[in-house]
């Protein structure tokens, strides 16, 4: 079973190389991938969302999801698994762009987008921004395969782990919000009794 999955990983990447790559598409895929570099765009998005009062709550949820995803994916799983990049393991595979320095599994680029998307989607009344971010997550995953820097299972599990981190973060932050709300209510009730 595992051998079949590993072979599928290789076959998909070689298919991308032989049938999907094109000179005109290379800079587009590099540009999309660059958006995910070090998670800077997603960190900035969370900060920007936290500034106005109207979007602060969404920004906090997005930042929580991004932080939890980073801890799980980049600090724990990447270091435990230590999977080498596909262009280092598959002789026929040529990467597009610069080599990556960290482990391949799971995809951090993909995970960042999915984490922020869940952080935006779950607490929001208007779901469209979160859905658009999820769509961009799929495009980001595609770009990582296109460039030959991740296996399909890297991007799939990056998306899954980040989605789970986003859901977990949502419930953790909601629990904290409820505790804060309850304490405020208790304090207000105590103040009202003193008057």
């Amino acid at each position: 079973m595992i051998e079949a999955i590993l072979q599928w990983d290789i076959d998909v990447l070689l298919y991308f190389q032989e049938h999907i790559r094109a000179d005109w598409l290379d800079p587009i895929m590099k540009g999309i991938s660059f958006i995910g570099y070090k998670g800077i765009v997603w960190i900035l998005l969370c900060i920007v969302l936290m500034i106005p009062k109207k979007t602060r709550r969404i920004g906090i949820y997005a930042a929580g999801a991004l932080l939890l995803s980073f801890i799980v994916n980049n600090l724990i799983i990447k270091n435990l698994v230590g999977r080498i990049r596909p262009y280092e393991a598959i002789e026929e595979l040529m990467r597009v762009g610069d080599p990556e320095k960290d482990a391949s599994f799971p995809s951090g680029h993909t995970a960042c987008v999915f984490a922020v998307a869940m952080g935006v989607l779950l607490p929001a009344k208007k779901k469209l921004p979160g859905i658009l971010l999820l769509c961009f997550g799929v495009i980001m995953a595609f770009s990582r395969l296109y460039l030959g820097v991740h296996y399909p299972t890297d991007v799939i599990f990056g998306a899954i782990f980040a989605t789970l981190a986003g859901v977990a973060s949502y419930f953790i932050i909601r629990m904290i919000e409820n505790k804060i709300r309850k304490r405020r209510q208790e304090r207000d009730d105590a103040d009202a009794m003193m008057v």
Side-chain angles (χ1 to χ4, degrees):
M1 174 76 167
I2 291 175
E3 285 182 23
I5 292 169
L6 294 175
Q7 188 58 52
W8 176 77
D9 265 349
I10 293 167
D11 292 344
V12 168
L13 289 177
L14 292 177
Y15 181 86
F16 266 67
Q17 179 171 281
E18 293 168 27
H19 301 287
I20 298 175
R21 283 186 188 170
D23 291 340
W24 65 270
L25 201 49
D26 288 358
I28 295 169
M29 291 296 119
K30 284 182 190 176
I32 290 167
S33 210
F34 182 75
I35 291 170
Y37 181 72
K38 303 272 186 205
I40 294 168
V41 167
W42 310 115
I43 294 167
L44 291 174
L45 177 61
C46 292
I47 292 168
V48 166
L49 286 171
M50 284 191 276
I51 293 170
K53 192 171 185 180
K54 185 178 180 181
T55 58
R56 186 169 298 145
R57 187 169 178 261
I58 300 291
I60 291 168
Y61 276 92
L66 185 61
L67 178 62
L68 186 56
S69 176
F70 174 76
I71 291 168
V72 170
N73 288 317
N74 291 65
L75 299 182
I76 298 172
I77 297 173
K78 268 188 188 276
N79 290 313
L80 285 175
V81 175
R83 188 179 199 186
I84 63 170
R85 296 282 175 168
Y87 57 82
E88 296 172 331
I90 305 168
E91 193 173 306
E92 306 91 344
L93 184 66
M94 309 282 275
R95 76 171 185 276
V96 177
D98 297 328
E100 303 282 335
K101 294 181 174 86
D102 61 349
S104 189
F105 182 89
S107 168
H109 280 66
T110 304
C112 283
V113 186
F114 274 84
V116 171
M118 294 307 292
V120 169
L121 181 68
L122 292 174
K125 290 179 181 138
K126 294 179 182 175
K127 301 298 184 187
L128 185 60
I131 292 167
L132 291 175
L133 281 169
L134 286 174
C135 292
F136 186 74
V138 172
I139 294 168
M140 179 65 76
F142 181 89
S143 78
R144 303 305 281 166
L145 299 176
Y146 180 95
L147 298 175
V149 295
H150 278 294
Y151 294 96
T153 49
D154 296 344
V155 298
I156 290 167
F157 280 97
I160 291 169
F161 295 153
T163 299
L164 293 173
V167 170
S169 173
Y170 171 74
F171 285 110
I172 291 167
I173 293 171
R174 262 189 57 192
M175 185 178 67
I176 293 168
E177 279 181 331
N178 289 336
K179 284 187 178 185
I180 291 170
R181 198 175 298 119
K182 186 178 176 184
R183 283 191 183 154
R184 280 187 188 150
Q185 186 62 47
E186 288 170 355
R187 188 183 66 224
D188 291 347
D189 291 347
D191 290 347
M193 289 175 72
M194 296 179 108
V195 173

